[in-house]
Amino acid sequence: MRASWEQFWFAPGDARNLALARIVVAATALWGLLSRDLPAISGLPAEFWAAVPANTRLRYLLYPGHEPLERILEDLALAALAGLLLGVLPSLCALISGLLLYHLAPLETIIWNPNPYIGAFTIPVLALFALAASPCGDAWSVGRRKPRKSPAWAYTWPLRLIQVELTFIYFFSGYSKLRDVGWSWASAENMRLWMLTFNQGAERSVFEGPGLWLADHPALCLLMGIGSLAMELLFPAVLVSRLARRVLIPAALAFHLGILVTMNIAVFYLPLFVVFLPPFDQSETRFPLRWRGR
Amino acid sequence: MMRPYTLSMLLFAGFAALAVVAALTRRKAAVQIFVLYTVAAGLYAGFLHREAWPFSRWQVFAYRYVRPSTALEIRGVDARGAEYQIDRRAWEPIPSLELHTWIRLKLEELDAQTREAAGRYLLEMANAARSRAAAGGKVGRFDRYFGALASPEHVIHRKIWSEPGGLPPEPFAGLRIYLDEWDPEERRRDPRRFKRVLLYEFPPR
């Protein structure tokens, strides 16, 4: 057990894999932050904050009427993320940006929900703290002529932790469906009715044809339901099996493409999938990507 | 019994504190504790089905379909009484999905005066966005840096005011918020088979 734990989390790793994860996490968070206007939510009239409970405000230290302060904090978060991306004081930048995103991210949903898990920043916040505790600036850092050398075990666990957090998304999505609905979630009827509902509103969707076409094929609806549930529940296997990575990662990407064109639902965190494909290992220093099996 | 939000705060505080300790010491034992804690917190949220953001239970689309289907429809009304669909980008900085959910879950809880003030503000937002679009500017704010490559919202929508003839010609004098209800099988046979109920009107009549 102990040996497996060691092997999983602390096998010798390569500083460049961790540096790549650092860059992708920082870039993804920057992309999200610059594609929203979170401080402006603080500046909304008090009516929009009227239903926000006091404990939610306290939990994230978020209060209405402080847009200028939130803008300063957002600028700080952007600067810290840029520093992290470039590898300038990376641990400090990761810590600052992680704390600030924990504060800012709930603004996306706070008017009705204190938990912005569907939003852009759940995995980035967790990943930023992992990066803060790691030697993520040992490679590919601006202004550093000689790469710094940390123990080889220190380069593996942050990637593993981000991988585990990504697998939680799928596994617990599947688990929630079984817990809240049961196996009938995957039934052709349930899939068909949702598919129709997502494509029948008065407001026309970006993609309309594929969802309605699929709804008219019950066998395909059933296949989609079973396939989705199977992919979600089996996804943690990518952590330990090369075969699972070869099958389930393309399956997850196909799944997201499928729900985009049939239900108009997009996801934000797909760039983070790069942590499942670390291109370097101890003996392999060249691109292209190489699947690492265990 | 600890309240959920207190537990969520403590979970996050522990997570952040252990990350700081691991960052400062760089000792393997500190890293092991941080890893163990983070995984345990994720498993706690997932298996016990407790939302403790950023530790999430990931309850994503875990619903059985229940009839009827419903959708909110917010429409602008000009001075002549003509109704127009409002481009979802008009509500930015509020993501449109969050605004729709807020209207459905929270607007009713507000007293009439507060509700009217919120409606007035939404009307101002819609008119400001329409004016920007009419002047050749951007309807919303989320694409201000990356344009079409901005990170998507969870549910994507058509940019109806950017489509030819899609922009309402006149400013809005009011807003109407409807709830549409339908049976998906009936509406598949006939797209006109749905019921529309007026929930709110701003300014109220």
Side-chain angles (χ1 to χ4, degrees), chain B residues 102-170:
Chain B
W102 178 79
I103 289 171
R104 292 185 73 155
L105 299 181
K106 302 292 182 184
L107 197 55
E108 182 65 31
E109 293 176 10
L110 306 180
D111 62 67
Q113 197 178 356
T114 310
R115 206 159 47 224
E116 196 183 328
R120 213 166 31 240
Y121 185 74
L122 291 176
L123 178 59
E124 282 171 19
M125 287 177 91
N127 272 326
R130 199 207 68 85
S131 298
R132 283 194 302 272
K138 288 184 179 295
V139 176
R141 304 191 199 182
F142 292 172
D143 60 352
R144 65 198 182 283
Y145 295 117
F146 297 120
L149 296 178
S151 129
E153 288 194 59
H154 186 52
V155 179
I156 58 171
H157 296 278
R158 289 172 76 122
K159 297 172 176 177
I160 53 175
W161 286 0
S162 298
E163 294 174 357
L167 189 67
E170 301 291 334

Side-chain angles (χ1 to χ4, degrees), chain A residues 5-6 9-10 30-37 40-41 44-45 47-48 50-51 55 58-60 71 91 95 99 101-102 105-106 108-109 111-112 114-118 121-123 125-126 129-130 132-135 153 157 161 164-165 168-169 171-173 175-177 179-181 184-185 189-190 192-194 196-198 200-208 212 216 260 263-268, chain B residues 5 8-9 12 15-16 19-20 22-23 26-28 31-32 34-36 38-39 42-43 46-49 51-67 69-73 75 85-86 88 93-95 97-102 105-106 109-110 114-115 117-118 121-122 125 141-142 144-146 149-158 180 182-185 187-188 194 196:
Chain A
W5 170 270
E6 277 290 318
W9 294 102
F10 300 108
L30 275 170
W31 182 43
L33 209 47
L34 292 170
S35 299
R36 299 288 182 271
D37 189 1
I41 300 291
L44 289 175
E47 299 81 46
F48 290 87
N55 57 41
L58 177 67
R59 177 175 165 188
Y60 299 115
R71 292 231 171 264
S91 283
L95 189 63
L99 282 168
L101 280 186
Y102 173 78
E108 198 169 6
T109 60
I111 58 172
W112 75 276
N115 297 297
Y117 66 99
I118 293 290
F121 302 107
T122 305
I123 300 297
V125 166
L126 296 168
F129 280 91
S134 75
W153 60 262
W157 70 264
L161 199 56
V164 166
E165 294 296 342
F168 280 175
I169 298 176
F171 177 75
F172 286 120
S173 288
Y175 173 80
S176 295
K177 290 172 178 100
R179 181 187 180 279
D180 295 351
V181 181
S184 64
W185 180 89
E189 189 194 13
N190 196 46
R192 169 178 159 75
L193 290 169
W194 278 120
L196 288 172
T197 297
F198 267 80
Q200 288 180 325
E203 200 173 338
R204 293 187 61 202
S205 306
V206 178
F207 302 103
E208 283 176 330
L212 292 173
D216 288 343
L260 176 68
M263 301 170 92
N264 293 280
I265 293 175
V267 291
F268 167 83
Chain B
Y5 70 89
S8 300
M9 283 171 72
F12 177 74
F15 168 71
V20 170
R26 292 290 157 92
R27 292 178 59 184
K28 196 170 178 183
V31 168
Q32 302 231 36
F34 172 66
V35 166
L36 200 59
T38 307
V39 173
L43 293 173
F47 280 118
L48 296 187
H49 215 54
E51 197 55 56
W53 195 85
F55 302 103
S56 177
R57 61 184 168 178
W58 295 111
Q59 189 187 30
V60 182
F61 202 57
Y63 311 107
R64 185 196 310 279
Y65 176 82
V66 178
R67 282 186 167 82
S69 298
T70 58
L72 212 61
E73 173 77 358
R75 299 179 79 90
Q85 281 191 329
I86 295 179
R88 296 273 189 141
I94 311 175
L97 184 64
E98 314 308 334
L99 178 69
H100 278 226
T101 313
W102 178 79
L105 299 181
K106 302 292 182 184
E109 293 176 10
L110 306 180
T114 310
R115 206 159 47 224
Y121 185 74
L122 291 176
M125 287 177 91
R141 304 191 199 182
F142 292 172
R144 65 198 182 283
Y145 295 117
F146 297 120
L149 296 178
S151 129
E153 288 194 59
H154 186 52
V155 179
I156 58 171
H157 296 278
R158 289 172 76 122
D180 288 354
W182 70 94
D183 181 288
E185 301 290 1
R187 200 168 186 183
R188 182 68 180 129
F194 67 97
R196 175 163 287 178

